[in-house]
Amino acid sequence: SDPSWKDGMRVELDACNTANDPGDGSEPFAAKLAEAMGVPVSGANNFVWIYSNGDVLVAPIAPSGGQNLSHPGGFMTYVPIDH
């Protein structure tokens, strides 16, 4: 619904775990959206923090259960398959 988005532009989902396997045998949400929209879609591979200044950080959970800011997560991009 972003008014600056134009048909064919790539999409970045600033939402937690949208690039991860949902565990039910289906594709990640970002992959499904890429196919549905026909554009590249990037999704986070872990939890997303959005700061008040607009910065986005994808931070993985450290083995101890806390956040490990020295090894942030990232975005994975899914590209629709040409049919």
Side-chain angles (χ1 to χ4, degrees), residues 32-68:
K32 291 178 188 177
L33 189 60
E35 285 299 319
M37 294 184 70
V39 298
V41 174
S42 297
N45 65 1
N46 216 318
F47 297 100
V48 173
W49 295 340
I50 302 174
Y51 294 93
S52 59
N53 66 0
D55 287 350
V56 176
L57 174 70
V58 182
I61 297 175
S64 65
Q67 298 294 332
N68 184 349

Side-chain angles (χ1 to χ4, degrees), residues 4-81:
S4 64
W5 188 83
K6 305 286 186 258
D7 190 32
M9 289 176 70
R10 70 182 313 119
V11 172
E12 180 179 292
L13 300 171
D14 292 337
C16 301
N17 297 302
T18 52
N20 291 346
D21 179 346
D24 61 4
S26 66
E27 293 290 319
F29 180 77
K32 291 178 188 177
L33 189 60
E35 285 299 319
M37 294 184 70
V39 298
V41 174
S42 297
N45 65 1
N46 216 318
F47 297 100
V48 173
W49 295 340
I50 302 174
Y51 294 93
S52 59
N53 66 0
D55 287 350
V56 176
L57 174 70
V58 182
I61 297 175
S64 65
Q67 298 294 332
N68 184 349
L69 295 178
S70 64
H71 299 287
F75 287 91
M76 296 175 61
T77 301
Y78 294 88
V79 179
I81 300 170

